[in-house]
Amino acid sequence: MKKKLILGMILLALTFNQFSFVSFADETDDAISEMREREAETQAAISNLQKQTKETKEAISALEGQKEQTQQSVSNLESQKSSLQSTINGYSSKLETLNSEIDEAEAAMAVVSAEIVCLNNELAEAQKQEADRYALLKKRLQSTYESGGSSGLIRVLLESGSIGELLTKFEYLNAIVRYDRTKIAEYQGLQAQIEEQKRVVEEKEAELDAYQEQLDEKHTELSNLTDEVKGQLSSTKNSLSSEKNKLSSYEDQLKELDKKMKDLEAQTAAAQAKLAQQLAERLALSKENLGGSYDASEQELIWLAATIQAESDGESYTGKLGVGSVIMNRVKSSAFPNTVIGVITQPMQFAPYRSGKVEFIIANGPNSTCIRAAQEVLAGARIGDYLFFMTQYWADYYRIKNYTMIGHHAFFYRWETYDPPAEETPQEDPAPPEENQDNGGGENTENTENQEENSESSEGGDDSGESSENSEDGGENSEESSGDGG
């Protein structure tokens, strides 16, 4: 009877424990299900932020292209403006020279005009002398030759009383004839002089008229060209002003987009940190077995080795094993993709993959040390159950507790944080400041090129940890600052 009673109590206890265990298991399953739903919502928010970030980057790229074209247009217009101004200056110089020539021509014309007036006065005087001489000569001839004609002259000779008187009278008469001939020649010369003066005056007048006409044509042509080029210069200045306004508008838009980009990066950082914390809460309910080997293809081996090299090329061999362990622990964890390449290429995780460095190393072949480290972790070797790693700077920035330093990287399993000091004002969903992203703690001083990549990539190992994807200026540190080697 006593044995039956004890047996009954044991059966009752087992039944109660079974019910309790089933109830606890159901509660755990429900909690995990709710956690997964929250993780999915956070992941969807991250995906939306990534989409907005991509669209914003594309908008920035398009605007920068337009800005570059506008800058080129401004440069061309500035050059054109300078060329047109030089042309106008040249025309102005020619106009000044031409105006000087016109002034000289007008001065010469004034001189010629005075000469013409003088010549005309002389011509009038010569014409008067011509008329007077013509009248006197005519009168003398009439008195000499017409009064008796040649018989009169002969009669004067015949009336001579002696040979001497005859010769005297003959000489006198001969002198009269010579005088008359001289006066006639002078009269003819005066007529020729008058005609020559008329010709000179006419030539000078024609020459000056032609020169003046030529100068006027040049002046008109240059004035028209100057006006035309001034019109082109005015149009160019208007276009230049318009292009500069467009350039200013592009710069304002780029500033707005840059601000939007920073806001998105901050939101993404906060969402990544939130997701990491959600994962940590879920993983805390049940400790997963992350060990064991993995049957990897040759391609996966190369990808793993290349990522280890990209993340820890300047680190010790233990540091390389640490990076490889994080990747393989994720492959084994239910919180991450279950393939090597899936983990490495998971969005917003490993910066060297996003920057193209991993594929560059793949193209050139990873080094033998990193291949050996990859082979060991694929075979099951681990240096810890870590799921995340980042530089110490970012681990302290996010106030991560319980991390282990291996080289320049802080490794940890769960995203658990400590409360800020009392005097520190906590910021909700903080985004890493850009000025600290390049030297965000624990960068590898042995290999400067890899320091930046390590600090960037090692700070964002999973969906939950990355906050900004600004790899060009060290911003990837912040977007990956909550993760691991990614």
Side-chain angles (χ1 to χ4, degrees):
M1 183 65 181
K2 187 177 181 180
K3 290 182 178 180
K4 290 182 179 180
L5 180 61
I6 293 173
L7 182 59
M9 292 176 66
I10 292 173
L11 290 173
L12 182 62
L14 289 174
T15 303
F16 177 78
N17 288 336
Q18 182 178 4
F19 285 143
S20 298
F21 178 76
V22 171
S23 176
F24 178 75
D26 289 341
E27 290 178 1
T28 302
D29 290 342
D30 291 341
I32 291 175
S33 179
E34 291 178 3
M35 289 179 176
R36 288 186 183 277
E37 289 179 3
R38 289 197 297 269
E39 290 170 19
E41 291 174 358
T42 306
Q43 192 67 264
I46 292 173
S47 296
N48 183 50
L49 287 169
Q50 290 172 349
K51 180 181 178 183
Q52 293 182 53
T53 300
K54 180 182 178 183
E55 291 173 349
T56 304
K57 282 184 176 180
E58 290 173 350
I60 289 174
S61 179
L63 267 177
E64 285 177 341
Q66 293 174 356
K67 178 183 175 182
E68 184 177 352
Q69 290 179 353
T70 304
Q71 285 175 327
Q72 184 61 45
S73 177
V74 166
S75 177
N76 292 338
L77 287 170
E78 290 281 8
S79 177
Q80 182 177 335
K81 173 187 171 185
S82 177
S83 176
L84 289 171
Q85 189 62 59
S86 296
T87 301
I88 288 175
N89 293 340
Y91 286 161
S92 298
S93 177
K94 289 181 180 179
L95 279 173
E96 290 177 2
T97 301
L98 195 56
N99 285 331
S100 177
E101 292 180 5
I102 290 174
D103 291 341
E104 291 176 1
E106 289 176 347
M109 288 180 70
V111 172
V112 172
S113 177
E115 290 179 355
I116 290 173
V117 170
C118 182
L119 285 172
N120 283 330
N121 291 335
E122 291 177 359
L123 183 61
E125 180 65 23
Q127 287 174 337
K128 182 176 181 302
Q129 290 180 11
E130 178 191 24
D132 292 344
R133 289 185 180 183
Y134 176 77
L136 289 173
L137 183 60
K138 181 178 179 181
K139 184 176 180 180
R140 176 167 180 75
L141 291 174
Q142 284 177 344
S143 63
T144 303
Y145 298 103
E146 292 180 3
S147 299
S150 59
S151 59
L153 292 173
I154 295 172
R155 188 172 54 251
V156 171
L157 292 172
L158 293 176
E159 289 178 353
S160 300
S162 63
I163 292 299
E165 184 181 357
L166 176 66
L167 291 173
T168 301
K169 288 182 177 181
F170 180 79
E171 286 296 327
Y172 171 74
L173 291 176
N174 192 33
I176 290 174
V177 171
R178 286 198 306 272
Y179 175 79
D180 290 340
R181 286 178 178 175
T182 299
K183 291 302 179 183
I184 290 171
E186 288 178 357
Y187 175 72
Q188 290 174 338
L190 183 59
Q191 283 184 321
Q193 180 183 353
I194 290 171
E195 291 300 323
E196 178 63 20
Q197 287 177 330
K198 284 183 179 180
R199 186 186 65 78
V200 171
V201 168
E202 289 174 355
E203 285 181 356
K204 287 191 175 184
E205 286 179 340
E207 181 182 348
L208 283 176
D209 287 343
Y211 188 46
Q212 180 68 53
E213 183 178 353
Q214 182 182 6
L215 289 175
D216 289 341
E217 287 177 355
K218 286 184 178 180
H219 192 278
T220 301
E221 180 182 358
L222 275 174
S223 296
N224 292 338
L225 286 172
T226 302
D227 292 340
E228 179 182 350
V229 176
K230 282 182 177 179
Q232 294 175 1
L233 180 60
S234 176
S235 175
T236 299
K237 286 181 177 178
N238 291 335
S239 298
L240 185 59
S241 176
S242 175
E243 291 298 294
K244 284 184 176 179
N245 289 335
K246 284 168 61 178
L247 195 60
S248 177
S249 174
Y250 289 149
E251 289 173 349
D252 291 340
Q253 293 179 59
L254 283 170
K255 287 179 182 177
E256 289 297 320
L257 287 173
D258 185 61
K259 181 177 179 297
K260 181 180 179 181
M261 194 71 179
K262 287 184 172 69
D263 291 341
L264 288 170
E265 289 169 355
Q267 294 177 49
T268 303
Q272 293 284 7
K274 181 179 179 181
L275 182 58
Q277 290 170 336
Q278 290 172 342
L279 285 170
E281 291 173 2
R282 178 162 63 85
L283 293 173
L285 295 178
S286 60
K287 180 70 175 179
E288 293 182 319
N289 180 15
L290 305 180
S293 62
Y294 177 86
D295 187 13
S297 65
E298 182 67 23
Q299 182 186 27
E300 288 179 304
L301 171 63
I302 297 300
W303 271 80
L304 179 58
T307 306
I308 291 173
Q309 181 173 332
E311 293 286 5
S312 58
D313 196 24
E315 296 292 320
S316 66
Y317 189 70
T318 302
K320 291 177 173 57
L321 289 175
V323 172
S325 295
V326 169
I327 295 173
M328 292 314 302
N329 288 341
R330 287 190 173 198
V331 173
K332 294 289 185 176
S333 172
S334 62
F336 301 94
N338 58 3
T339 65
V340 172
I341 296 177
V343 166
I344 294 170
T345 61
Q346 189 176 9
M348 303 294 289
Q349 298 305 304
F350 292 84
Y353 166 69
R354 291 198 307 280
S355 69
K357 185 174 182 180
V358 169
E359 291 180 286
F360 176 80
I361 294 174
I362 290 173
N364 291 277
N367 62 48
S368 58
T369 302
C370 293
I371 290 177
R372 186 169 65 254
Q375 289 171 335
E376 290 197 22
V377 294
L378 286 171
R382 302 284 192 277
I383 62 167
D385 58 359
Y386 313 119
L387 291 174
F388 307 91
F389 75 91
M390 61 182 67
T391 60
Q392 186 176 16
Y393 173 88
W394 292 111
D396 292 340
Y397 178 87
Y398 280 105
R399 298 190 295 274
I400 302 296
K401 62 181 180 180
N402 300 325
Y403 62 74
T404 300
M405 288 301 300
I406 301 176
H408 296 88
H409 290 147
F411 291 83
F412 53 97
Y413 174 70
R414 292 196 181 105
W415 187 286
E416 296 177 323
T417 60
Y418 58 85
D419 294 331
E423 65 276 8
E424 181 180 339
T425 303
Q427 295 182 359
E428 183 177 353
D429 298 335
E434 280 192 20
E435 62 270 18
N436 294 330
Q437 292 172 359
D438 283 335
N439 56 1
E443 291 179 293
N444 181 9
T445 57
E446 297 176 14
N447 189 325
T448 304
E449 179 181 356
N450 293 322
Q451 287 170 15
E452 297 177 1
E453 202 64 62
N454 292 341
S455 63
E456 292 173 5
S457 60
S458 64
E459 292 157 7
D462 66 78
D463 303 15
S464 62
E466 302 173 8
S467 62
S468 87
E469 197 169 0
N470 188 0
S471 61
E472 294 180 356
D473 58 359
E476 289 187 30
N477 296 350
S478 60
E479 73 184 43
E480 300 147 359
S481 56
S482 62
D484 58 67

